Amino acid sequence: MSSWRTRLLPPLLAIVFAVLICTVALLISGADPLRAFGTMIAQLFKGTTAIDTLNLATPYYLAGLAVAIGFQMNLFNIGVEGQYRFAAVVAAIAGGALHLPPVLHAIVIILVAVLGGMLYAAIPAVLKVTRGVSEVISTIMLNSIVIGIIAFLINPEQFGVQRGNNVHTEPIDDSGLIPGIPLGRLGELFGFVLIAIAVGGAYWFMLNRTRFGFELKASGESTTAAAAGGVNAKKMTLIAMLLSGGVAGLVALPELLGRDHVYAITAAQGYGFTGIAVALLGRNHPAGIALGAVLWAFLDKSAVSLEQIQVPKEIATIMQGTIVLSVVVAYEIVRRADLAAEQRRVGRALAGNGRKRGKPADVSEGGAV
């Protein structure tokens, strides 16, 4: 059952609760909560912060979509972190080695990244369907293994290039890059934002307008019921993990093809774990995930401004952590309230129907007496 309360109230309650907790923390530390929150909001309108926020939200959004695909099948793909990092280094190596015409070069890099993510996700998927190994355990271990794989591949003796104290892949030619969208003094928006929007639209269409999406959600609700309807639960598990890994492979591409042009040992990390929180906050809906990604990116970018007023920037981290903890509780509270309200409506409807059916019977019995 779904209603506006089930969709909107949980994330709103989680955000409000997070603000209250941070307000208490600020008061205890002797800071002014209104000034702190005002400074964070004002930072959004300074310089290129707004565009930087949207650029950061793009990998968060893709990571959230990757996690959400697994959630639809009741799979906790905590390995998005490892999958996107493996895909990124493979795509960067391929992109630096190839010299192709524009557009075709970028398409090949994207395809390599998708296949790389799917390949790394195939390992826990096969273990899950053939041996029943928990995807949580296997993906956590693979997240650690990818660190060694990246270190090996970017080694100067393999595919790496030493530049000062940093080691990275060969730079990708301009033909393989995705041009940004210049917005004047506001900055430049990653061109990959448009691809991310297209991926979100494809995710929505798959779930709501295709038979595969119906079978995916049905298998997630109940594998037994889905099997009775002719759905192969193991096959759906395998496909869901591969799709999740494929989308995860795109996570690092906005920065790789729009800003960095190389993949370095010091490349940004943690997008996969953030994607879990973003997917929860967005209720696995593409629009909700987008809002959650923008909120998370805003908190990351605006936290730096708190140091200007002698407030620890960790306040933003507290808010993020509180949102993650409270969003699940908020969903359950609202779901139970919604269910109780529906049960009361059904009870009143049944009672009304019972009275209507009982009146003619009373009359006939009175007439017989």
Side-chain angles (χ1 to χ4, degrees), residues 210-240:
T210 66
R211 177 177 177 178
F212 172 78
F214 172 78
E215 292 179 348
L216 182 68
K217 292 187 289 186
S219 300
E221 291 291 336
S222 173
T223 55
T224 304
V231 179
N232 188 327
K234 289 187 176 182
K235 178 182 177 182
M236 296 304 297
T237 298
L238 180 62
I239 294 176

Side-chain angles (χ1 to χ4, degrees), residues 55-80:
N55 285 339
L56 180 59
T58 304
Y60 286 171
Y61 180 61
L62 291 168
L65 288 177
V67 174
I69 293 173
F71 281 164
Q72 294 291 348
M73 188 61 194
N74 271 341
L75 295 172
F76 195 2
N77 183 13
I78 203 172
V80 169

Side-chain angles (χ1 to χ4, degrees), residues 118-132:
M118 294 177 71
L119 177 63
Y120 211 66
I123 300 173
V126 172
L127 291 175
K128 176 76 172 180
V129 300
T130 60
R131 292 292 181 265

Side-chain angles (χ1 to χ4, degrees), residues 81-98 105-121 123 146 148-155 159-160 168-172 245 248-250 252-253 256-257 261-264 267:
E81 178 72 15
Q83 291 152 21
Y84 94 76
R85 296 186 66 195
F86 176 79
V89 69
V90 172
I93 292 172
L98 296 174
H105 196 175
I107 292 175
V108 170
I109 293 174
I110 292 172
L111 290 177
V112 170
V114 171
L115 292 175
M118 294 177 71
L119 177 63
Y120 211 66
I123 300 173
V146 80
I149 294 175
I150 292 174
F152 171 76
L153 291 177
I154 306 185
N155 190 294
F159 303 100
H168 56 70
T169 59
E170 288 283 351
I172 299 173
L250 300 173
L253 294 192
L256 177 64
L257 302 183
H261 311 162
V262 296
Y263 191 82

